[in-house]
Amino acid sequence: MSAVSHTSRHTAEGLRGGVLPRLHDAAAEMERHLRAVPPAGPLPTGAAPSPSGGAGPGGAALASWTAASKQELGREFIESLARGLTVITAFADTGRDPTLSDIARATGLSRASARRALITLEHLGHVTVDGRHHRLTPRVLELGYAPLSRTTLSRIAQPHLAGLAGRIRDSASLAVLVDDVVQYVARAATHRIMTVDVTVGTRFPAYATSLGRVLLAGLPADELDPLLAHADLRPLAPHTLTRRAALETVLDGVRREGYALVDEELEAGLRSIAVPVRDRSGAVVAAVNVAMHSSSRTVDECLDEVLPGLRSTAGAIEADLGTAARFGQVAVV
């Protein structure tokens, strides 16, 4: 922060005595606002998006948030772009064709900044003006509707799975339920040697996998009962559950705890843990798991080291799925 004065108005001593204290006060006030604003970054799992549709706060905090983001990221953060996108998404929050004052109030921008953003958006064809009121044009759909409308669940999940696999050094997968089997639709593999060769499209019996148990536990009773009634619960490995009553007890635990851990039930030496992925209505639409050799981690280590990352990854997938679902139906593959 600086103050510039013509030499005819202030001497050097005058700047020190009359202006410098005010600069200190202004800088201290700015720092106080910056400390009160959350840093830029991804939304935590379960957090509500801001009017800007991203990680920053809405309302009057926006100006401070963009300044804090600029300070954190420097030249990499384009403050004017952030403000322009925020103005676009503010239309959804006003509930009507907003005026300049409505936009300024919804975004926390000054009227001058909001006015410049609206003039620019009007010039680009994204906003039209009717007297004091503004409305978005269909052209705004060009900003993202087309790619979002073609998004699949596997595409949404893939980068999140890759991030998880990189952090924990074990393979991570996403699967959906097809009748009484699970089908892998996305996967991020590591270079560890696994005894099970799994690729996208691979299918396994749902009853003997962590993915399957999460998906079975998410079914309503009228769908689960006939499925279990016709399931062929064969022994596949040393500890495979083959009794329906025992499996139903395990599924009750999965619903209660929010995860499934399977230890040497699909194949000897294979351990896996899975959590559900839910859509905007709360229905279980997929499951995410991490699979490993049983010698690499104990059961307790799976719960302490892997489960939190799994839940965080599922939350990130759910957040992206919820956003994409606002623009169209998301295919599972």
Side-chain angles (χ1 to χ4, degrees):
M1 175 181 288
S2 69
V4 179
S5 172
H6 196 278
T7 55
S8 64
R9 297 189 59 192
H10 290 283
T11 65
E13 287 301 319
L15 285 174
R16 290 192 189 96
V19 179
L20 184 57
R22 297 181 183 181
L23 274 176
H24 283 310
D25 291 341
E29 181 67 11
M30 291 177 64
E31 289 171 351
R32 185 181 68 79
H33 281 289
L34 290 176
R35 285 193 295 269
V37 176
L43 279 170
T45 302
S50 69
S52 63
L62 175 69
S64 295
W65 177 82
T66 52
S69 300
K70 184 68 174 179
Q71 184 180 59
E72 178 185 350
L73 301 177
R75 296 175 61 186
E76 300 301 320
F77 183 82
I78 305 175
E79 192 171 353
S80 58
L81 176 59
R83 289 176 173 176
L85 293 173
T86 301
V87 166
I88 290 176
T89 53
F91 279 78
D93 298 306
T94 57
R96 55 193 172 89
D97 296 340
T99 64
L100 171 59
S101 296
D102 294 330
I103 292 293
R105 186 162 47 249
T107 60
L109 295 172
S110 67
R111 286 175 58 87
S113 294
R115 178 175 174 275
R116 287 195 296 271
L118 287 168
I119 289 174
T120 302
L121 292 169
E122 181 185 4
H123 180 72
L124 293 172
H126 295 309
V127 169
T128 185
V129 182
D130 182 10
R132 296 175 58 246
H133 295 275
H134 302 75
R135 64 174 61 94
L136 295 178
T137 71
R139 189 169 183 178
V140 77
L141 296 176
E142 296 176 358
L143 296 176
Y145 178 80
L148 279 176
S149 66
R150 296 192 297 268
T151 296
T152 64
L153 180 56
S154 58
R155 288 180 181 175
I156 290 172
Q158 191 62 48
H160 299 296
L161 296 177
L164 176 62
R167 290 191 298 273
I168 65 174
R169 307 291 184 184
D170 274 309
S171 299
S173 304
L174 179 88
V176 297
L177 190 65
V178 180
D179 297 324
D180 60 351
V181 300
V182 293
Q183 178 171 322
Y184 287 70
V185 296
R187 180 167 169 81
T190 64
H191 296 295
R192 289 188 178 185
I193 298 175
M194 295 288 294
T195 55
V196 177
D197 183 19
V198 176
T199 59
V200 171
T202 296
R203 294 187 174 193
F204 289 123
Y207 71 92
T209 64
S210 60
L211 290 164
R213 289 182 182 174
V214 164
L215 292 165
L216 291 174
L219 291 177
D222 60 345
E223 295 181 29
L224 178 62
D225 289 343
L227 191 152
L228 293 181
H230 295 91
D232 182 15
L233 306 181
R234 295 178 292 111
L236 304 174
H239 304 297
T240 310
L241 288 181
T242 57
R243 293 175 53 251
R244 175 175 174 175
L247 179 60
E248 288 178 328
T249 298
V250 168
L251 294 180
D252 287 339
V254 172
R255 294 187 196 96
R256 184 173 58 255
E257 302 296 336
Y259 72 89
L261 192 148
V262 170
D263 195 9
E264 296 190 297
E265 295 194 50
L266 179 64
E267 180 171 306
L270 182 65
R271 179 176 293 145
S272 66
I273 183 169
V275 299
V277 173
R278 301 178 184 274
D279 63 14
R280 298 176 70 191
S281 71
V284 176
V285 294
V288 180
N289 90 330
V290 170
M292 69 208 76
H293 197 278
S294 56
S295 64
S296 65
R297 283 187 177 90
T298 65
V299 169
D300 286 341
E301 287 172 338
C302 286
L303 298 178
D304 294 339
E305 300 173 7
V306 179
L307 183 57
L310 261 178
R311 284 177 164 157
S312 177
T313 298
I317 294 171
E318 288 171 350
D320 286 353
L321 176 61
T323 299
R326 294 170 58 191
F327 300 93
Q329 185 173 1
V330 178
V332 297
V333 293

